[in-house]
């Protein structure tokens, strides 16, 4: 038996006979989540639509459970593969439960009559996506996020071995994004389902995927584990980022640093400086930061947002060279903000710098940070 549950062989995809991406070789196993990422218009949806036969292949084939999909009937495919796409479903005369129940069509025969067992499966799927509160309402009257959850329930009703989803979290709030992805992870773990999907949210793709396929410049650019794919340099190159930066440690994007001579020096560490860095960036205040160990959780965000970050190697005490550089920066800054409540042995240099700033009348209490942009103590 082929270890790939669904895979492509030398697949060319495109529109009107014109190839967009050639020679695609990707696959996903049961019990695995494979996620496509890449810039808008790169071809992620085109690949998915081609793999589920919504678009005609220009070359190659798709193999499902060891057989070419082109040789399989619609009912056989539907019992193996469920699809959740972003297109609007026209269901003006159907309730949410009615829509979910259509997932049983591969098993109901021509008349579509649900047995008691079918109805139980429908209710179980609705409960799985926490859709009980709106399943009886007209499908066209519920929110986009509620529709998305019920469409996933419909897919679950098919009892598939692979689920294909195109941007499944697009219309969901934070709570329901996480719930939906937890549901998918549960299906993978407990029912050994294969999941193939595209996502825009890089932080979610990094956290949920077993493998990631990167699509850009009319090609599959790279395929690998999240650890291999999600590096600062690669993600910034993949998306052609010219403003801001990507932080692989947090799986997050940072805005571009504010240019200019630093007006504030921020003493931080252990996560204490991050909200201050972001607040200063939002308000257009250029700043410098330090002294940070290079393994400190603050370090990556400071490097992205600060005009200059003074640092020392990991597990190294704050030394005189770093302190002298901070003193030079403080001399040109109007204010110093200290985010730390306490100082350890390796961090003693930052305590000294704080006290020196206070002696020079430059230390701004953290609870007065907003003075920098409200006029109270603006530099």
């Amino acid at each position: 038996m082929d270890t790939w549950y669904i895979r492509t062989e030398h697949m060319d995809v495109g529109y009107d006979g014109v190839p967009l991406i050639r020679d695609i070789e990707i696959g996903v196993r049961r019990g695995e989540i494979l996620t496509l990422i890449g810039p808008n218009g790169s071809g992620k949806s085109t690949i998915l639509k081609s793999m589920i036969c919504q678009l005609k292949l220009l070359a190659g084939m798709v193999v499902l459970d060891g057989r070419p999909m082109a040789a399989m009937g619609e009912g056989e495919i539907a019992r193996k593969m469920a699809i959740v796409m972003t297109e609007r479903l026209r269901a003006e005369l159907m309730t949410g439960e009615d829509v979910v129940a259509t997932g049983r069509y591969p098993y109901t025969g021509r008349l579509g009559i649900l047995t008691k067992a079918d109805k139980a499966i429908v209710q179980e799927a609705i409960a799985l996506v926490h859709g009980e509160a709106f399943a009886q309402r007209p499908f066209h009257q519920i929110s986009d996020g509620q529709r998305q959850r019920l469409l996933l329930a419909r897919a679950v009703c098919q009892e598939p071995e692979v689920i294909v989803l195109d941007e499944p979290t697009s219309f969901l709030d934070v709570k329901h994004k996480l719930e939906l992805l937890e549901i998918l992870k549960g299906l993978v773990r407990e029912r050994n389902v294969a999941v193939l999907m595209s996502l825009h949210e890089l932080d979610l793709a990094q956290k949920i995927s077993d493998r990631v396929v990167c699509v850009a410049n009319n090609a599959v650019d790279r395929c690998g584990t999240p650890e291999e794919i999600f590096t600062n340099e690669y993600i910034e190159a993949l998306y052609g980022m010219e403003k801001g930066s990507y932080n692989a440690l947090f799986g997050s994007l940072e805005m571009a640093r504010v240019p200019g001579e630093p007006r504030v020096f921020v003493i931080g560490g252990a996560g204490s400086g991050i909200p201050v860095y972001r607040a200063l960036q939002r308000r257009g205040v250029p700043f410098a930061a330090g002294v940070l160990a290079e393994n400190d959780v603050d370090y990556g965000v400071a490097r992205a947002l600060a005009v200059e970050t003074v640092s020392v190697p990991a597990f190294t005490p704050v030394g005189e060279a770093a302190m002298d550089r901070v003193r030079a920066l403080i001399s040109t800054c109007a204010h110093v903000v200290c985010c730390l409540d306490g100082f350890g042995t390796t961090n003693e240099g930052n305590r000294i710098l704080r006290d020196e700033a206070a002696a020079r009348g430059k230390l701004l209490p953290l609870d007065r940070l907003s003075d920098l942009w409200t006029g109270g103590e603006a530099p």
Side-chain angles (χ1 to χ4, degrees):
M1 178 67 68
D2 198 328
T3 57
W4 304 107
Y5 189 78
I6 183 171
R7 61 180 171 85
T8 64
E9 286 188 0
H10 305 294
M11 184 176 75
D12 291 358
V13 302
Y15 299 88
D16 300 322
V18 179
L20 174 66
I21 306 176
R22 296 180 182 271
D23 202 26
I24 300 168
E25 297 270 353
I26 61 175
V28 59
R29 302 175 180 88
R30 293 189 67 177
E32 178 182 73
I33 295 177
L34 178 69
T35 303
L36 276 62
I37 65 170
N40 287 335
S42 60
K44 302 184 299 295
S45 294
T46 303
I47 291 174
L48 292 183
K49 289 177 180 178
S50 300
M51 290 183 71
I52 63 177
C53 302
Q54 282 192 5
L55 288 176
K56 183 178 179 181
L57 300 185
L58 303 184
M61 70 171 68
V62 179
V63 179
L64 178 64
D65 197 18
R67 294 181 58 200
M69 278 183 62
M72 300 170 67
E74 182 179 308
E76 184 181 5
I77 293 173
R79 287 189 290 273
K80 293 179 177 293
M81 180 170 67
I83 299 164
V84 182
M85 303 300 277
T86 55
E87 287 86 353
R88 297 268 184 171
L89 177 68
R90 299 185 63 85
E92 286 81 358
L93 301 179
M94 301 174 72
T95 66
E97 183 178 310
D98 293 335
V99 170
V100 175
T102 62
R104 295 302 298 162
Y105 82 89
Y107 307 96
T108 57
R110 291 184 178 180
L111 298 179
I113 299 174
L114 298 182
T115 66
K116 185 177 180 179
D118 290 324
K119 293 177 181 178
I121 291 172
V122 170
Q123 295 306 315
E124 180 185 353
I126 291 172
L128 186 68
V129 302
H130 309 293
E132 300 95 328
F134 47 85
Q136 300 304 320
R137 294 171 55 191
F139 187 75
H140 72 282
Q141 292 183 5
I142 62 178
S143 71
D144 287 335
Q146 291 168 339
R147 291 179 196 176
Q148 194 75 343
R149 288 157 66 187
L150 291 181
L151 291 176
L152 177 58
R154 182 181 67 170
V156 171
C157 275
Q158 288 179 232
E159 299 180 295
E161 295 173 344
V162 58
I163 300 179
V164 180
L165 309 99
D166 187 21
E167 302 294 347
T169 58
S170 293
F171 303 116
L172 302 180
D173 59 30
V174 172
K175 174 178 184 288
H176 293 113
K177 285 179 193 287
L178 294 175
E179 284 186 358
L180 182 140
L181 295 179
E182 280 297 326
I183 291 166
L184 289 177
K185 202 69 176 176
L187 292 171
V188 168
R189 210 168 32 235
E190 298 161 16
R191 304 189 189 185
N192 203 32
V193 171
V195 171
L196 171 63
M197 64 179 170
S198 63
L199 280 179
H200 274 308
E201 297 97 328
L202 296 181
D203 56 334
L204 298 180
Q206 181 180 14
K207 293 172 176 65
I208 194 172
S209 307
D210 295 297
R211 289 186 303 117
V212 180
V213 171
C214 305
V215 186
N217 301 317
N218 298 332
V220 173
D221 187 70
R222 186 177 292 187
C223 182
T225 65
E227 293 72 27
E228 294 168 332
I229 297 298
F230 290 98
T231 66
N232 298 0
E233 296 76 15
Y234 179 68
I235 293 298
E236 290 172 11
L238 177 67
Y239 285 88
M241 293 172 60
E242 297 177 357
K243 297 285 187 180
S245 59
Y246 174 77
N247 188 316
L249 178 63
F250 296 110
S252 63
L253 300 174
E254 298 295 345
M255 302 295 289
R257 66 171 55 89
V258 180
E261 292 297 317
R263 295 157 57 191
V264 180
F265 191 90
V266 182
I267 299 172
S272 66
I274 292 175
V276 175
Y277 307 154
R278 290 176 174 160
L280 293 171
Q281 191 280 337
R282 286 195 304 272
R283 295 293 181 165
V285 180
F287 68 95
V291 176
L292 296 170
E294 292 175 358
N295 64 333
D296 193 289
V297 69
D298 275 11
Y299 179 70
V301 180
R303 283 288 304 274
L305 299 182
V307 175
E308 181 176 341
T309 301
V310 181
S311 63
V312 294
F315 310 112
T316 302
V318 174
E320 284 299 323
M323 292 175 67
D324 286 344
R325 180 56 193 154
V326 171
R327 289 181 178 115
L329 288 166
I330 289 176
S331 70
T332 63
C333 288
H335 292 282
V336 174
V337 175
C338 183
C339 309
L340 296 170
D341 293 325
F343 301 87
T345 303
T346 60
N347 209 21
E348 175 66 10
N350 278 331
R351 185 195 62 76
I352 295 171
L353 291 168
R354 181 203 62 181
D355 293 348
E356 290 178 358
R360 297 173 67 177
K362 290 194 172 189
L363 189 64
L364 182 69
L366 191 56
D367 59 6
R368 293 185 58 194
L369 182 67
S370 62
D371 287 350
L372 295 173
W373 51 83
T374 59
E377 289 284 342

